[in-house]
Amino acid sequence: MGYRAIRERGRGVILTALVALLLALPVPVQAWGFYAHRKTASIAEANVSPETRAEIRRLMRAAELLGTPQCELATIEDASVWPDCVRRNRWRWGYTAAWHYRTTPICEAYNARANCPGGNCVTAQILRNHRILADESLPDNVRLQALAFMVHFAGDIHMPLHSGDKNDRGGNDRETDYGIVPSLNLHWIWDGPLAERAISDPADPVVRRYSASERADLGGGGPADWGRESWSISRDFIYPTAFDTQDVCGEELPMKTALTQEDIVRGVPVAKRRVQQAGIRIAELLETAFAPGPLAVQERQ
């Protein structure tokens, strides 16, 4: 076998291994990847007061009363992925599936109150669980469950394709190559590989104590605002970039596309900022839930 043949065979082996590794990752039963969710929780923990951290630890003692031993719940990082873990048990938790998103077609006007029947969407459930967490008259296990849902859903709403959609289940139906990795889908790419790449730079860690000016820049608003931001990113960046057109509403988009390396590089800072915003806003939700007068956030629907 000549040198060129050996080299090409080696490339083929590497590509096959890479594809196998990515395809072995969990298909997104996990809404926004496991890694990104845990990072948002870590950011939040680094940016709350010692008193709030202590209250979170105290509530964690009630985890056994939730009756979910298969889903660890000992830290706020665990809380950030607990709702994805428990909904695998469909007979008990299947009703929560619709709570993880609230999509609006990118070619229609954004309506913060649409597509949320009976409060079964992510924006309503962030508010509902914040209110439950803030209610000190409730048992600790009830408040802990609310904490986990709130932390997780506040992460979910910052993943753009949980809000923006073009008749494709938030990109799930769009077969999309990710660089040299073929046949993923657009939603999964933003859930997993792209988000993980965006927050894995050791030279610029996302988990740290942010300055007051950084927190002011990244924080603020309420769930409806965060959903609108995600919808706008889907409309103005994700779909145009994935399909190489600025007229995503004026033409039919193909069901198969590809993200080039250049597309991925452009997407990294977008994904990174959404993770950072989620972390800081989770910190704000936690602080208001454990502070006097906590229900002020309810007014920012």
Side-chain angles (χ1 to χ4, degrees):
M1 184 181 293
Y3 170 74
R4 177 173 293 179
I6 293 173
R7 183 178 63 183
E8 292 304 317
R9 182 177 179 182
R11 286 177 177 172
V13 169
I14 292 171
L15 177 57
T16 299
L18 179 58
V19 171
L21 176 61
L22 281 169
L23 295 180
L25 293 171
V27 176
V29 163
Q30 307 224 40
W32 214 7
F34 177 90
Y35 185 61
H37 269 301
R38 294 185 75 92
K39 285 291 186 183
T40 65
S42 296
I43 293 169
E45 186 173 43
N47 287 277
V48 295
S49 65
E51 293 77 13
T52 292
R53 282 195 292 272
E55 188 64 9
I56 292 168
R57 287 194 298 270
R58 188 188 69 77
L59 288 181
M60 291 295 167
R61 299 173 196 156
E64 186 176 347
L65 297 175
L66 296 180
T68 58
Q70 74 281 14
C71 298
E72 188 172 3
L73 187 53
T75 67
I76 191 172
E77 289 83 4
D78 295 337
S80 72
V81 294
W82 181 86
D84 275 339
C85 180
V86 297
R87 73 174 172 146
R88 295 172 185 159
N89 186 344
R90 294 191 178 184
W91 69 266
R92 185 178 174 194
W93 298 99
Y95 68 94
T96 67
W99 295 0
H100 295 251
Y101 61 92
R102 194 197 71 80
T103 53
T104 296
I106 59 172
C107 298
E108 297 179 9
Y110 183 82
N111 182 341
R113 298 184 182 276
N115 195 20
C116 190
N120 288 296
C121 73
V122 68
T123 48
Q125 290 301 320
I126 293 170
L127 295 170
R128 171 179 173 269
N129 284 286
H130 180 271
R131 183 177 288 273
I132 293 170
L133 176 60
D135 190 344
E136 295 182 358
S137 72
L138 294 173
D140 284 352
N141 59 303
V142 174
R143 296 178 70 204
L144 174 59
Q145 178 177 301
L147 183 150
F149 278 133
M150 185 192 76
V151 168
H152 179 85
F153 296 149
D156 275 346
I157 202 171
H158 284 82
M159 201 294 248
L161 291 171
H162 283 248
S163 292
D165 172 80
K166 197 173 190 297
N167 300 317
D168 55 10
R169 298 188 304 127
N172 272 295
D173 296 332
R174 305 280 181 178
E175 183 180 346
T176 307
D177 297 343
Y178 180 68
I180 64 171
V181 182
S183 301
L184 304 181
N185 72 63
L186 188 60
H187 188 104
W188 187 20
I189 287 169
W190 277 82
D191 250 0
L194 185 56
E196 292 183 14
R197 175 168 174 170
I199 56 180
S200 298
D201 182 0
D204 187 19
V206 294
V207 179
R208 56 183 172 81
R209 179 74 179 180
Y210 286 74
S211 68
S213 62
E214 287 175 314
R215 294 197 299 273
D217 173 52
L218 295 167
D225 304 307
W226 311 336
R228 185 187 296 274
E229 290 170 353
S230 285
W231 173 82
S232 295
I233 291 168
S234 298
R235 180 195 62 187
D236 299 336
F237 181 82
I238 294 179
Y239 282 94
T241 300
F243 296 95
D244 296 318
T245 178
Q246 293 302 311
D247 189 21
V248 293
C249 296
E251 58 185 270
E252 288 296 320
L253 301 179
M255 297 309 293
K256 179 174 173 56
T257 189
L259 293 183
T260 66
Q261 184 60 31
E262 291 75 16
D263 294 335
I264 295 166
V265 169
R266 289 178 60 215
V268 162
V270 178
K272 182 174 184 176
R273 181 172 174 84
R274 290 311 275 167
V275 171
Q276 292 174 305
Q277 287 177 314
I280 293 301
R281 288 162 172 174
I282 291 168
E284 292 173 346
L285 288 169
L286 291 166
E287 293 283 37
T288 56
F290 292 123
L295 298 183
V297 72
Q298 305 295 329
E299 302 304 319
R300 299 202 300 267
Q301 296 187 40

